[in-house]
């Protein structure tokens, strides 16, 4: 059985390492050489008391098998708070078992309880399985061009 829950802001370093270990599967081939250290630092920032970031995990038999990393932000367009879903990741050995859907449903339920106005995210244009999942839960395409800048 898979249990999905929000990570408590007071978790210890061992649990933070378990989260980082999971997300390393997403960064194996694309992450920088210091990706693990960056993950730990980011998780630390996300779990600070004043942070607007939240982490939800899926646990199966005491193993973290999936996670969502999101930020709550304000939007004039939406008239209040909305979620930017930065990452939704399920370990490759646990895919196609409905875990990503369970995580998203938990995030949606939590967002409704928090009176969040919407959720936005992005995915690869050729990631048909992920797009099908999002569409099955009522997400819709937003046509835009995303830009970035790094310091």
């Amino acid at each position: 059985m898979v249990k999905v829950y929000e990570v408590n802001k007071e978790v210890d370093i061992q649990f933070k390492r378990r989260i980082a270990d999971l997300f390393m599967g997403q960064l194996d081939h694309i992450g920088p050489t210091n990706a693990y250290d960056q993950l730990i630092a980011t998780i630390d920032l996300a779990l600070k008391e004043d942070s607007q970031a939240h982490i939800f995990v899926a646990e199966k038999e005491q193993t973290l098998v999936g996670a969502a990393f999101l930020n709550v932000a304000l939007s004039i367009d939406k008239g209040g708070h909305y979620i930017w879903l930065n990452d939704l990741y399920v370990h490759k050995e646990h895919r196609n078992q409905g875990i990503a859907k369970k995580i998203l449903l938990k995030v949606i339920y939590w967002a409704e309880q928090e009176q969040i106005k919407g959720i936005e995210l992005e995915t690869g244009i050729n990631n048909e399985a992920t797009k099908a999942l999002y569409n099955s839960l009522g997400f819709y395409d937003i046509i835009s061009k995303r830009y970035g800048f790094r310091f």
Side-chain angles (χ1 to χ4, degrees):
M1 181 171 177
V2 175
K3 177 182 170 186
V4 179
Y5 57 94
E6 182 179 5
V7 175
N8 185 304
K9 300 262 185 197
E10 289 89 36
V11 295
D12 60 20
I13 188 61
Q14 286 79 19
F15 197 84
K16 291 175 185 178
R17 287 185 180 132
R18 289 176 62 199
I19 297 168
D21 290 341
L22 174 67
F23 275 121
M24 278 304 294
Q26 180 177 342
L27 299 175
D28 272 346
H29 304 291
I30 60 170
T33 56
N34 63 340
Y36 190 81
D37 294 334
Q38 287 181 357
L39 273 170
I40 291 292
T42 302
I43 292 165
D44 279 339
L45 287 171
L47 295 176
K48 284 189 175 209
E49 195 59 43
D50 62 347
S51 173
Q52 291 299 311
H54 298 267
I55 302 170
F56 288 79
V57 294
E59 190 171 13
K60 183 177 182 180
E61 299 171 4
Q62 299 179 334
T63 300
L64 297 184
V65 297
F69 184 96
L70 60 93
N71 283 279
V72 177
L74 283 169
S75 169
I76 293 171
D77 178 53
K78 291 176 184 41
H81 290 96
Y82 77 102
I83 289 172
W84 179 262
L85 182 61
N86 298 76
D87 296 283
L88 176 63
Y89 177 73
V90 175
H91 189 279
K92 61 184 174 185
E93 293 177 12
H94 299 277
R95 291 182 185 155
N96 301 311
Q97 298 175 25
I99 295 169
K101 185 173 186 174
K102 285 182 181 184
I103 296 169
L104 273 174
L105 287 171
K106 182 70 169 189
V107 169
I108 291 168
Y109 177 78
W110 176 84
E112 289 174 336
Q113 301 307 304
E114 296 293 318
Q115 300 178 336
I116 303 290
K117 304 290 186 185
I119 301 172
E120 290 192 16
L121 56 91
E122 79 174 10
T123 190
I125 59 174
N126 295 323
N127 193 338
E128 296 303 326
T130 302
K131 290 192 298 186
L133 168 65
Y134 295 139
N135 291 144
S136 76
L137 293 174
F139 287 77
Y140 52 89
D141 291 345
I142 299 173
I143 307 301
S144 68
K145 176 71 177 166
R146 187 168 179 200
Y147 294 90
F149 182 88
R150 287 188 184 244
F151 294 94

